[in-house]
Amino acid sequence: MSEKNYKLKIEYDGTRYYGWEHQPDRPTIQGKIERVLGFMLMKREDIEREGSDEPAQIPEVIGAGRTDAGVHARGMVASVRLDTPLDCDAIRDYCNRYLPDDIAIREVSVASDRFHARYNAVGKTYQYTAFYGPVHPVFNRKYYTVLEHDVDVSAMQQAADVLKGEHDFKSFCGNSHMKKSTVRMVDRIDVRRSKGYIYFTLHGTGFLQNMVRIIVGTLLLVGEGKLKVSDVEDILEARDRKSAGPTAPAKGLTLISVDY
Amino acid sequence: MSEKNYKLKIEYDGTRYYGWEHQPDRPTIQGKIERVLGFMLMKREDIEREGSDEPAQIPEVIGAGRTDAGVHARGMVASVRLDTPLDCDAIRDYCNRYLPDDIAIREVSVASDRFHARYNAVGKTYQYTAFYGPVHPVFNRKYYTVLEHDVDVSAMQQAADVLKGEHDFKSFCGNSHMKKSTVRMVDRIDVRRSKGYIYFTLHGTGFLQNMVRIIVGTLLLVGEGKLKVSDVEDILEARDRKSAGPTAPAKGLTLISVDY
């Protein structure tokens, strides 16, 4: 038996979690998965050792990115090194048997030894879902944000087009202490309406902290007529978080997929 | 101003409710809607009357049927008599503003004075959703039942065909003290599989207590090979609840629509 590197594809409803990244004494997606994998790796001597019901070792599960508290994922990718006799499907089944029902491991595959879910990610797709209308759909209510006002989708698409391309997105960065480059390439921002829902689909090489939610919060101000399309150019040039719109609520955001 | 009779179309996630019908000190769908409508009907003198924060009068909301604890609805219909200056959309909007987000009034319309949501219902469509597969979808997890074993859909459809038509469904009645007729007409029971989900769609003139869930529980035994198609004929003839399969879990069941 020897350690192998695995790639996990993960789906989760982020509603009751403090985000992806593990934190002491708070439920997080990474924390839940690492703990279950820790139990999976337990050996006979660990189980016989009395006085502790925690795994002897916890493997580090590296996510493609850190989703915020309340953000969901359909296709989060993570890498983890495991020394286990179980095959990929058995690892997946073990995890799904013990994980809470708001987290599911969709796929487990053996990755090359150098695969790193964060460093090797070359693109990400996010979807943000908002709803405007007199009757709020009940069944998916944890996955969209309710708008108080109707919005102009074509104005939002024009503003979105201003943001497409490679820019310094400092105005759209939620981390005011960010010291590294805030230049990012976003090649897709599509805004469309269907049956009361407004969907924002974004694809880029990488996103800054809260960047998708700040872009959506700013586009919604354009949609409500509180900002003009030309204002979005000024916001981009300002390189100042205070110039942009509010951070849209986490519950509307879902990480759809990660490219490698 | 005078009293009018209204028809409501209602959607709800039944997960946290003790069913449709109101019960003292327990959350129910009917109870929530009646209380909000009670507040809507409050008059100036009710608000000025001190010592109570409850509505002075609670209107009776008559549902097309009583869904069990944990059962959902996309198109429950109810009737209610209200003396209010508000128009239909304003009634709907008032309700949706104050109802919890797992209940929504989809439509309000003025009905004929004699319309009664229960007595005038001539048909109902239910859908039951089960899932079998290695990875349980996360986002709709409150709305399907997980199967432990794979099932033979065509055997279930054959057994379903035995149950179609007008029969005495006493074996499929959850109320052992039922004194009225247990004859019902079920003209549609379709079983289909799509992407790991197994959907049971039933339409009939009316259903006995737990009847859809007992039919599904029995069909699943056929699907698992624990009952033969011919056994279902015997179960129907037995007119004895103990001969049929278990009551399938509530969470998989949704009332889709009611015909008038």
Side-chain angles (χ1 to χ4, degrees):
Chain A
M1 241 168 30
S2 66
E3 201 175 74
K4 281 192 212 132
N5 193 22
Y6 294 89
K7 180 180 178 182
L8 314 180
K9 195 172 150 194
I10 306 161
E11 177 169 295
Y12 50 85
D13 172 343
T15 306
R16 67 184 191 94
Y17 296 99
Y18 287 83
W20 166 266
E21 192 172 36
H22 54 76
Q23 295 183 35
D25 306 321
R26 284 182 159 179
T28 67
I29 323 294
Q30 186 186 27
K32 290 286 179 195
I33 298 171
E34 288 181 342
R35 192 160 182 276
V36 168
L37 287 171
F39 279 108
M40 191 187 82
L41 297 177
M42 285 217 296
K43 294 178 178 59
R44 180 184 294 273
E45 57 268 30
D46 296 327
I47 289 173
E48 287 176 347
R49 196 188 64 230
E50 289 179 37
S52 168
D53 57 0
E54 288 300 306
Q57 51 163 339
I58 300 269
E60 189 189 0
V61 174
I62 299 158
R66 288 167 292 208
T67 54
D68 296 331
V71 171
H72 319 293
R74 292 191 182 269
M76 171 62 100
V77 174
S79 53
V80 59
R81 310 187 78 84
L82 301 170
D83 183 352
T84 174
L86 299 179
D87 70 17
C88 287
D89 285 357
I91 294 170
R92 177 198 66 191
D93 293 348
Y94 183 97
C95 288
N96 288 334
R97 188 153 52 244
Y98 294 107
L99 281 169
D101 67 359
D102 50 9
I103 304 176
I105 308 295
R106 298 198 60 83
E107 285 173 31
V108 176
S109 54
V110 175
S112 86
D113 204 53
R114 288 173 305 181
F115 176 71
H116 187 285
R118 188 163 73 249
Y119 298 153
N120 296 152
V122 296
K124 286 190 189 122
T125 303
Y126 280 96
Q127 183 168 275
Y128 195 94
T129 307
F131 181 86
Y132 175 76
V135 186
H136 306 146
V138 156
F139 293 96
N140 57 343
R141 66 192 179 280
K142 310 280 192 196
Y143 317 124
Y144 66 79
T145 295
V146 172
L147 303 182
E148 296 297 319
H149 307 282
D150 200 3
V151 283
D152 179 339
V153 169
S154 77
M156 291 197 288
Q157 183 63 66
Q158 284 177 53
D161 292 342
V162 170
L163 296 175
K164 271 200 294 197
E166 187 174 75
H167 302 288
D168 183 344
F169 282 98
K170 196 168 197 320
S171 295
F172 299 89
C173 178
N175 174 7
S176 57
H177 304 295
M178 181 73 174
K179 293 206 173 68
K180 294 185 223 165
S181 169
T182 46
V183 174
R184 292 291 184 278
M185 170 70 185
V186 180
D187 56 6
R188 181 182 175 197
I189 312 180
D190 291 342
V191 189
R192 70 187 172 89
R193 184 196 295 263
S194 172
K195 296 177 186 169
Y197 294 99
I198 295 105
Y199 299 103
F200 301 81
T201 308
L202 293 90
H203 179 267
T205 51
F207 292 91
L208 302 162
Q209 191 179 317
N210 291 348
M211 180 169 150
V212 176
R213 292 163 58 193
I214 299 168
I215 288 176
V216 170
T218 305
L219 293 179
L220 286 170
L221 289 182
V222 174
E224 291 177 15
K226 291 177 183 159
L227 284 179
K228 294 193 298 288
V229 173
S230 59
D231 292 333
V232 175
E233 293 171 38
D234 298 339
I235 291 168
L236 201 52
E237 277 168 28
R239 294 177 176 74
D240 177 4
R241 170 69 188 90
K242 290 191 288 291
S243 70
T247 306
K251 66 183 295 205
L253 185 59
T254 303
L255 171 61
I256 301 293
S257 58
V258 184
D259 314 329
Y260 291 95
Chain B
M1 238 166 33
S2 66
E3 202 176 72
K4 281 192 211 131
N5 193 22
Y6 294 90
K7 179 181 179 182
L8 314 179
K9 195 173 152 195
I10 307 161
E11 176 171 296
Y12 51 85
D13 172 343
T15 306
R16 68 185 190 93
Y17 295 99
Y18 287 83
W20 167 266
E21 193 173 35
H22 54 78
Q23 294 182 35
D25 306 322
R26 284 180 157 181
T28 67
I29 323 293
Q30 187 187 26
K32 290 286 179 194
I33 296 170
E34 288 182 343
R35 190 159 183 275
V36 168
L37 286 170
F39 279 108
M40 192 187 81
L41 296 178
M42 286 218 293
K43 295 181 177 57
R44 180 185 296 271
E45 56 269 28
D46 297 327
I47 289 173
E48 286 177 351
R49 196 187 62 234
E50 288 179 39
S52 169
D53 56 0
E54 288 300 306
Q57 51 164 336
I58 300 269
E60 190 191 358
V61 174
I62 299 158
R66 289 166 290 208
T67 54
D68 297 331
V71 170
H72 320 292
R74 291 191 181 272
M76 171 61 100
V77 174
S79 53
V80 60
R81 310 188 77 84
L82 300 171
D83 182 353
T84 174
L86 299 179
D87 70 17
C88 289
D89 285 358
I91 296 170
R92 176 197 68 191
D93 292 348
Y94 183 97
C95 289
N96 288 333
R97 187 154 55 246
Y98 293 108
L99 281 169
D101 66 359
D102 48 10
I103 303 176
I105 309 294
R106 298 198 61 82
E107 285 173 33
V108 176
S109 54
V110 176
S112 85
D113 204 51
R114 288 174 303 182
F115 176 71
H116 187 286
R118 188 163 73 249
Y119 299 153
N120 296 153
V122 296
K124 286 190 190 121
T125 302
Y126 280 96
Q127 182 168 273
Y128 196 94
T129 307
F131 182 86
Y132 175 76
V135 186
H136 307 148
V138 156
F139 293 96
N140 56 343
R141 66 191 178 280
K142 310 280 192 197
Y143 317 124
Y144 66 79
T145 295
V146 172
L147 303 181
E148 295 297 319
H149 306 282
D150 201 0
V151 282
D152 179 339
V153 169
S154 78
M156 291 196 290
Q157 183 63 65
Q158 284 177 53
D161 291 342
V162 170
L163 296 175
K164 271 200 294 195
E166 188 175 74
H167 301 287
D168 183 345
F169 283 98
K170 197 169 196 319
S171 295
F172 299 89
C173 178
N175 176 6
S176 56
H177 305 293
M178 181 74 173
K179 293 205 174 69
K180 293 185 227 167
S181 168
T182 46
V183 173
R184 292 291 184 277
M185 169 71 188
V186 180
D187 56 6
R188 181 183 175 195
I189 311 180
D190 291 342
V191 190
R192 69 188 174 88
R193 185 196 293 265
S194 172
K195 295 179 187 170
Y197 293 99
I198 295 105
Y199 299 104
F200 301 81
T201 308
L202 293 89
H203 179 269
T205 50
F207 292 91
L208 302 162
Q209 191 179 316
N210 291 347
M211 179 169 150
V212 176
R213 292 163 59 194
I214 299 170
I215 288 177
V216 170
T218 304
L219 293 180
L220 286 170
L221 289 183
V222 175
E224 290 177 15
K226 291 177 183 160
L227 284 180
K228 293 195 297 288
V229 173
S230 59
D231 293 334
V232 174
E233 292 171 38
D234 299 338
I235 290 168
L236 200 52
E237 277 167 29
R239 293 176 177 74
D240 176 5
R241 170 70 189 91
K242 289 192 287 293
S243 69
T247 306
K251 65 183 293 204
L253 185 60
T254 303
L255 171 62
I256 301 295
S257 58
V258 184
D259 314 330
Y260 291 95

